Amino acid sequence: ATLKLENAAIERSRAVDSAVLGRYNIWRREIENENSDSTVRLMRDQIIMAQVYIGIAKMKNKLGLQQDLKIRVKESQRAVGESTVDADLPHSAPEKIKKMGKVLSIAREQLYDCKLVTGKLRAMLQRSDEQVRSLKKQSTFLSQLAAKTIPNAIHCLSMRLTIEYYLLPLEKRKFPRSENLENPNLYHYALFSDNVLAASVVVNSTIMNAKDPLKHVFHLVTDKLNFGAMNMWFLLNPPGKATINVENVDEFKWLNSSYCPVLRQLETSAMKEYYFKADNPTKSASSNLKYRNPKYLSMLNHLRFYLPQVYPKLDKILFLDDDIVVQNDLTGLWSVDLHGKVNGAVETCGESFHRFDKYLNFSNPHISRNFDPNACGWAYGMNMFDLKEWKKRDITGIYHKWQNMNEDRALWKLGTLPPGLITFYGLTHPLEKSWHVLGLGYNPSVDKKEIEHAAVIHYNGNMKPWLELAMTKYRSYWTKYIKYDHPYLRSCNLSE
């Protein structure tokens, strides 16, 4: 039966010029449509087999047949090009298939040897597998690089705003309603960012969907480089009746290496070698680039573990990432009963997805003794923190303890979610999932209804909405909160 099928396939290949394109396969009848790729696949299969026989012909000194095969391979490769469907093929494709089929038939009669053919195919498969791995590594590197890069337009915006800010007289650099900054009866938000445009979307979307903007207070912290730009943007574009304040993380003198384990670890030669690998580029290239994101070097990323120190007069604060968009009024979060917990967050685990064993090294006894590998993970990005409970339970002290133990990165890789899961273990209250929908920065299949009914949507992942690699289908949820006719945006060529 197998022999009959093989012979039938050969005969079909010989007579392909009288066949209808898209239906070369004798084992199943293709549905005729303009997107059929069956002929493209046949030509690619012929090229692969021809390359196998070229190697065998050389080995058996059949130089004439080897040359014929090479000629047919070049012709077929030119004909196929980058075609993905049969409609893209040139009219000469059937003739090329027929000629290749004849040469392959001769090669099979003269050269076929099961072991040799199998060995050649296995070698080709191995080379292809190595190429795929190399391309995947390159793709990962490029996507990580793109995700870390600030677009020229946003950099231009930041530079222009910085210049304007430092030209302002000191008395004009102040925001109104500073008396609200320590009023525990208002709705307070913490936003730590070095991206002016992203921060503006978070603030604008929150205020535009708030029922009473007057009661909302935004605490922004940025770095020294973006301090002037962040101030100037919100001086030029005040958030309505809401209160806003911008601080420079480099001016938090208490946040130093003698107090903060992460800062102390970042100063060690081992950590610098891990990040930069100047003496061993090969090892650096083979490691997971995800964990070398420069954001892990910034205290803006770790400042979330010091909220009571930054805001000692507040009782509750809502922490927001800068890659989120607010779509509903969030004041209901301040009424959620956290049942004595410190952190209110949306859980992210399914049956086995995003549980603790995804983030932590359970082969380490310190982890395996203290945590459940099946415990449910949760999301940073929109978190309600009870700062009274935080201080009572010394959450920052717990964080320091585990961060000190992880100096050699044996408990978890770099980042803030793993130490967050550890620090708030047993102290996190799950919020309704509609409060916070994630995945718009990496998942093309997020349910549209979930997005539209979510209070907050989160572009977690590499495909941030301000980057060219953003997913088009999700970008409009973010761009609707940007006024592209703003003169600074126009002058920096920022367009929707």
Side-chain angles (χ1 to χ4, degrees):
T2 304
L3 186 60
K4 284 181 180 179
L5 288 173
E6 287 179 355
N7 290 332
I10 292 168
E11 290 303 317
R12 186 69 170 176
S13 180
R14 285 173 178 161
V16 75
D17 58 335
S18 62
V20 179
L21 286 182
R23 289 172 52 190
Y24 83 91
N25 194 321
I26 66 168
W27 288 281
R28 61 187 173 90
R29 186 182 181 87
E30 295 275 350
I31 298 173
E32 293 178 27
N33 63 74
E34 61 181 8
N35 294 320
S36 173
D37 65 348
S38 55
T39 306
V40 172
R41 286 186 285 113
L42 171 59
M43 295 186 75
R44 295 193 191 282
D45 289 346
Q46 284 185 327
I47 291 168
I48 290 170
M49 285 310 302
Q51 288 169 335
V52 169
Y53 283 126
I54 285 170
I56 297 175
K58 183 179 180 181
M59 187 187 305
K60 295 192 174 184
N61 204 31
K62 298 280 187 179
L63 301 183
L65 183 54
Q66 180 190 12
Q67 188 62 28
D68 288 345
L69 286 164
K70 285 183 176 180
I71 291 169
R72 298 303 169 212
V73 166
K74 286 181 180 179
E75 288 180 349
S76 293
Q77 285 176 334
R78 280 197 297 266
V80 174
E82 297 183 1
S83 301
T84 55
V85 294
D86 297 348
D88 296 336
L89 291 171
H91 294 301
S92 61
E95 184 63 26
K96 297 289 190 296
I97 293 171
K98 183 180 177 182
K99 288 180 178 179
M100 177 68 91
K102 288 178 180 178
V103 176
L104 285 175
S105 180
I106 295 168
R108 188 180 190 281
E109 290 170 4
Q110 295 185 20
L111 304 174
Y112 184 77
D113 181 297
C114 184
K115 287 184 179 179
L116 281 176
V117 170
T118 303
K120 290 288 183 183
L121 286 170
R122 187 176 289 118
M124 290 173 69
L125 180 63
Q126 187 174 348
R127 283 198 302 271
S128 298
D129 190 45
E130 288 171 358
Q131 286 176 342
V132 167
R133 282 200 298 269
S134 176
L135 289 171
K136 278 186 177 179
K137 189 177 291 185
Q138 186 178 15
S139 173
T140 300
F141 172 79
L142 292 174
S143 63
Q144 293 288 343
L145 183 65
K148 300 178 187 80
T149 304
I150 297 293
N152 284 339
I154 296 179
H155 182 68
C156 163
L157 175 66
S158 182
M159 293 299 99
R160 286 209 56 183
L161 290 167
T162 299
I163 292 168
E164 292 293 326
Y165 178 74
Y166 288 109
L167 291 175
L168 278 180
L170 290 176
E171 64 273 12
K172 292 189 177 181
R173 297 183 188 179
K174 295 180 180 179
F175 292 102
R177 294 181 287 277
S178 59
E179 67 278 2
N180 291 339
L181 295 176
E182 295 183 345
N183 185 345
N185 299 316
L186 300 177
Y187 304 117
H188 294 265
Y189 301 83
L191 173 61
F192 308 145
S193 175
D194 59 1
N195 186 324
V196 175
L197 200 61
S200 74
V201 170
V202 176
V203 174
N204 289 348
S205 62
T206 305
I207 295 306
M208 288 176 69
N209 291 289
K211 293 177 181 176
D212 188 358
L214 185 63
K215 294 183 179 179
H216 295 257
V217 183
F218 290 89
H219 301 266
L220 270 69
V221 181
T222 189
D223 55 20
K224 188 191 314 183
L225 183 64
N226 293 281
F227 177 70
M230 198 74 76
N231 272 284
M232 193 65 200
W233 177 265
F234 288 105
L235 287 169
L236 290 172
N237 307 279
K241 296 179 180 179
T243 302
I244 195 163
N245 184 53
V246 180
E247 294 180 271
N248 179 0
V249 69
D250 298 298
E251 292 181 359
F252 295 165
K253 300 305 180 186
W254 52 270
L255 198 62
N256 51 55
S257 57
S258 62
Y259 174 63
C260 176
V262 167
L263 277 176
R264 183 169 62 255
Q265 291 163 9
L266 289 176
E267 291 175 357
T268 64
S269 58
M271 188 67 80
K272 288 175 182 176
E273 197 266 343
Y274 176 80
Y275 270 110
F276 303 110
K277 300 280 186 182
D279 59 334
N280 195 350
T282 304
K283 188 176 179 182
S284 175
S286 64
S287 299
N288 193 337
L289 292 161
K290 176 180 178 181
Y291 302 112
R292 286 188 173 74
N293 195 320
K295 72 180 183 180
Y296 300 138
L297 294 169
S298 170
M299 277 313 298
L300 283 178
N301 200 44
H302 296 272
L303 196 59
R304 64 192 70 192
F305 293 105
Y306 299 96
L307 289 171
Q309 287 86 345
V310 184
Y311 311 111
K313 300 289 182 67
L314 301 182
D315 298 331
K316 278 189 174 184
I317 197 162
L318 185 65
F319 172 79
L320 298 176
D321 267 342
D322 65 358
D323 55 352
I324 64 106
V325 172
V326 178
Q327 301 187 126
N328 294 326
D329 181 75
L330 298 182
T331 53
L333 284 167
W334 275 264
S335 303
V336 173
D337 185 357
L338 298 182
H339 300 281
K341 309 292 186 183
V342 181
N343 174 28
V346 168
E347 293 182 332
T348 56
C349 58
E351 292 181 7
S352 61
F353 187 58
H354 285 187
R355 296 186 182 272
F356 270 43
D357 60 355
K358 175 180 172 63
Y359 303 101
L360 305 175
N361 178 18
F362 275 87
S363 64
N364 188 290
H366 293 297
I367 296 295
S368 58
R369 280 199 304 262
N370 290 283
F371 305 101
D372 177 5
N374 293 313
C376 194
W378 44 266
Y380 264 132
M382 190 212 70
N383 306 79
M384 176 57 71
F385 289 112
D386 185 328
L387 300 185
K388 282 186 174 180
E389 284 294 323
W390 183 308
K391 287 182 263 191
K392 188 187 300 182
R393 296 174 182 268
D394 189 22
I395 295 300
T396 303
I398 296 172
Y399 163 68
H400 281 177
K401 168 195 164 186
W402 286 102
Q403 192 67 55
N404 279 321
M405 291 171 65
N406 193 48
E407 185 159 359
D408 57 357
R409 299 179 305 283
L411 308 185
W412 68 84
K413 296 294 185 183
L414 295 177
T416 50
L417 181 55
L421 296 176
I422 286 178
T423 300
F424 296 100
Y425 185 63
L427 299 172
T428 298
H429 173 74
L431 300 175
E432 288 288 334
K433 290 191 180 297
S434 60
W435 279 113
H436 186 188
V437 168
L438 297 104
L440 278 72
Y442 71 91
N443 182 6
S445 304
V446 182
D447 188 271
K448 187 176 181 180
K449 288 184 179 178
E450 284 188 18
I451 294 174
E452 291 173 350
H453 290 96
V456 167
I457 55 175
H458 195 166
Y459 293 83
N460 57 312
N462 285 335
M463 301 179 187
K464 303 299 184 190
W466 54 84
L467 299 175
E468 287 187 12
L469 50 78
M471 283 185 271
T472 308
K473 63 191 292 189
Y474 301 141
R475 202 162 185 267
S476 60
Y477 297 107
W478 187 79
T479 55
K480 67 187 286 188
Y481 294 103
I482 299 175
K483 294 181 179 179
Y484 284 100
D485 59 347
H486 191 287
Y488 278 25
L489 299 188
R490 285 203 312 271
S491 66
C492 287
N493 295 318
L494 266 161
S495 60
E496 188 172 359

